[in-house]
Amino acid sequence: MEFARIALVGSAALMAATMATALMAHGNVTPQAVDTSALPDIGPEWLEKNPYSGNAKAIAIGQSAYGQNCARCHGLDAESGGIAPDLRYLELGESGDQWFIERFQHGSAHDGKVYMPPFGEVLGQKAGWAIRAWLETKHEG
């Protein structure tokens, strides 16, 4: 009986460790398309400042796009569980815009490990700025 209990506890610990590793890994991310047709056109050149800041339609589109493409790593409602940066604390204004769009476009990789895949070419500038517009509504200082 004691052996069975030890085996059960050991199995539970091994399963918990395996699940924790799986939860902390980013794995492959398949971007989900974002319909930005209702947003004003902003041209093909990447902007350095969010043209949709405060735009209610962009905020709604950004909320949906964030949930489909970002929440997996950055957390529901932009509240990170520790896998990736908590985007509620992303600086507001142009400097925060520039940091955000750089990461959105190019992703983040260090020492050959991809921490965030690039979304710029896949989702496009309009989707990126819509996500940023929504994130501004979640800002905490």
Side-chain angles (χ1 to χ4, degrees):
M1 185 68 156
E2 186 64 27
F3 175 75
R5 180 195 249 156
I6 291 171
L8 181 60
V9 169
S11 294
L14 181 60
M15 187 172 76
T18 302
M19 289 176 62
T21 301
L23 289 174
M24 298 203 36
H26 287 176
N28 291 331
V29 176
T30 304
Q32 302 300 305
V34 178
D35 180 4
T36 58
S37 61
L39 297 176
D41 192 27
I42 53 177
E45 296 298 317
W46 284 86
L47 305 176
E48 292 186 12
K49 184 176 180 191
N50 190 353
Y52 301 138
S53 185
N55 178 314
K57 187 64 176 173
I59 291 167
I61 291 170
Q63 180 178 15
S64 175
Y66 177 90
Q68 294 172 1
N69 293 290
C70 312
R72 176 179 183 187
C73 296
H74 290 282
L76 296 175
D77 216 28
E79 186 175 339
S80 178
I83 291 176
D86 191 315
L87 298 177
R88 295 173 303 158
Y89 300 105
L90 181 58
E91 197 173 321
L92 293 176
E94 239 177 286
S95 62
D97 286 351
Q98 290 169 5
W99 184 91
F100 173 83
I101 210 63
E102 171 68 24
R103 287 292 165 93
F104 180 81
Q105 275 185 277
H106 305 291
S108 177
H110 304 285
D111 300 324
K113 295 177 186 171
V114 175
Y115 291 94
M116 178 177 159
F119 285 98
E121 288 185 27
V122 178
L123 297 181
Q125 178 173 212
K126 289 170 73 173
W129 287 125
I131 292 168
R132 170 70 170 148
W134 177 74
L135 286 171
E136 290 172 343
T137 70
K138 299 297 173 185
H139 178 76
E140 293 187 13

